[in-house]
Amino acid sequence: MKKTLIIAGIALLGFAQMTEAAVASKTNLEQTVEGKKFAILVQSVKSLRSAIMTATEIKQANPKVDFEIVIMGQMVQELATDKDLQEAFKIAEQYGVQLRVCEFAMKVYGVSMDSINPYIKGTPNAHKYMFQLQERGYNVLSI
């Protein structure tokens, strides 16, 4: 009887370890990306920071990935005034994450391209630009 319990215990322990390894493996798979082109449309500073973090993680894993972050809406005002964002822009530049800003929003909110970080490039209309990226095979997301 003792032998049977010991064998059953060992079998359960082995099964538990295999299950744990399978769960860990699944979790790792969920965090990998297979695409080569990504774009995120952001409308808040919090979303911008999150998008830059995500982009740099993906670029670390695969530096050949194309990643663009498109900025639109009222938050464009903060591009000129939020000095803490400058460090995030340096990180984006360091990893080759392209930053675009909606020139229409800039005009609406009275922000000039000269007042923002020179690494950020303009696009006439953020929505149209996202459609263009999608047509060019980018995986697109709006947050």
Side-chain angles (χ1 to χ4, degrees), residues 4 12 26 50 54 64 72-73 98 102 106 112 119 129 141 143:
T4 305
L12 282 174
K26 184 178 183 208
S50 175
T54 300
K64 293 181 181 179
M72 67 169 286
Q98 300 300 309
C102 179
M106 300 275 287
S112 73
Y119 183 69
Y129 189 69
L141 174 66
I143 56 174

Side-chain angles (χ1 to χ4, degrees), residues 14-65:
F15 179 75
Q17 288 175 339
M18 287 181 356
T19 303
E20 186 177 317
V23 168
S25 176
K26 184 178 183 208
T27 301
N28 289 339
L29 284 176
E30 291 172 355
Q31 293 296 304
T32 61
V33 291
E34 300 298 324
K36 303 287 187 237
K37 298 177 178 182
F38 301 94
I40 299 179
L41 177 67
V42 298
Q43 299 183 60
S44 72
V45 170
K46 184 177 179 179
S47 294
L48 175 59
R49 289 182 189 281
S50 175
I52 290 172
M53 181 189 73
T54 300
T56 56
E57 287 177 6
I58 290 173
K59 295 279 286 179
Q60 281 177 338
N62 184 356
K64 293 181 181 179
V65 165

Side-chain angles (χ1 to χ4, degrees), residues 86-104:
Q86 300 312 307
E87 186 61 32
F89 298 149
K90 286 179 188 174
I91 292 168
E93 184 174 8
Q94 178 182 3
Y95 283 93
V97 177
Q98 300 300 309
L99 301 177
R100 306 272 179 205
V101 64
C102 179
E103 293 170 353
F104 178 76

